[in-house]
């Protein structure tokens, strides 16, 4: 089992899938509205909430300090270029409330200092690579305008 910290949890889609795969997940969300929705869901789930999924309603930089997770996931909001179709409703909902587009470089640098195996950063396919000299792999989506930048330790 891996220990994963999801720095930008949104509505927990990635975190939930990782926890259901049996990994220990710490999910961080700093947006107050999204964090309140997650906390309400956690309260309603009660005993059904997975034991291996822990939620933090705060900026991931506060959680990353002095930790050594195996993997760090970073999926920041980014401005979508003009597309022929709208994003799915899940993403539209998050974009409607998460207006603070942050630069993921600070989180990436902190994540690289603590992760023991790799850091995975989701980016728009046209955005520049943040740390090109440290990048090991890229995975590009065939159906969406995104790529995964993978930084191995």
């Amino acid at each position: 089992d891996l220990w994963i910290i999801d720095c930008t949890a949104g509505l927990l889609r990635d975190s939930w899938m990782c926890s259901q795969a049996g990994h220990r997940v710490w999910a961080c969300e700093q947006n107050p509205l999204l964090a309140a929705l997650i906390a309400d869901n956690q309260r309603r789930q009660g005993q059904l909430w997975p034991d291996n999924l822990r939620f933090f309603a705060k900026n991931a930089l506060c959680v990353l300090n002095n930790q050594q997770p195996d993997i760090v996931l970073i999926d920041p909001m980014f401005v979508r270029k003009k597309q022929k179709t709208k994003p799915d409703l899940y993403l539209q909902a998050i974009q409607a409330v998460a207006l603070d587009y942050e630069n993921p470089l600070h989180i990436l640098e902190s994540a690289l200092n603590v992760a023991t195996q790799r850091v995975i950063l989701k980016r728009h396919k046209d955005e520049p690579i943040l740390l090109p000299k440290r990048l090991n792999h890229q995975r590009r989506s065939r159906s969406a305008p995104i790529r995964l930048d993978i930084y191995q330790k």
Side-chain angles (χ1 to χ4, degrees):
D1 295 347
L2 297 170
W3 176 21
I4 300 168
I5 295 182
D6 183 351
C7 292
T8 47
L11 288 174
L12 293 182
R13 184 160 57 178
D14 295 333
S15 297
W16 191 267
M17 288 190 309
C18 291
S19 77
Q20 294 304 300
H23 304 298
R24 182 168 51 126
V25 180
W26 286 13
C28 309
E29 180 52 58
Q30 70 176 1
N31 181 282
L33 182 55
L34 295 177
L37 289 171
I38 294 168
D40 181 61
N41 184 24
Q42 187 176 19
R43 182 187 56 78
R44 290 173 190 251
Q45 294 261 339
Q47 296 288 333
L48 298 175
W49 186 267
D51 291 336
N52 60 337
L53 178 56
R54 191 167 169 199
F55 174 65
F56 297 88
K58 56 177 70 174
N59 186 298
L61 293 174
C62 300
V63 177
L64 286 173
N65 281 339
N66 301 317
Q67 303 301 325
Q68 291 188 315
D70 299 309
I71 298 172
V72 176
L73 299 177
I74 308 168
D75 182 3
M77 264 302 158
F78 50 82
V79 179
R80 305 276 178 184
K81 310 292 189 235
K82 279 194 169 182
Q83 294 178 311
K84 294 178 184 176
T85 60
K86 286 186 177 181
D88 63 16
L89 286 176
Y90 167 83
L91 190 54
Q92 288 180 51
I94 291 176
Q95 287 176 335
V97 298
L99 302 175
D100 52 338
Y101 295 96
E102 64 181 70
N103 182 344
L105 183 59
H106 296 98
I107 296 175
L108 177 60
E109 289 172 334
S110 294
L112 286 168
N113 288 329
V114 300
T116 61
Q117 292 185 22
R118 70 185 59 94
V119 175
I120 302 170
L121 171 65
K122 187 186 286 187
R123 302 280 284 163
H124 187 278
K125 68 175 184 155
D126 296 331
E127 289 182 341
I129 297 169
L130 292 182
L131 297 173
K133 292 181 180 179
R134 298 200 56 189
L135 183 68
N136 299 95
H137 306 288
Q138 280 189 327
R139 299 277 186 225
R140 293 184 180 267
S141 172
R142 293 181 189 187
S143 60
I146 61 167
R147 71 169 195 270
L148 300 177
D149 293 344
I150 303 169
Y151 299 84
Q152 295 285 123
K153 291 300 284 197

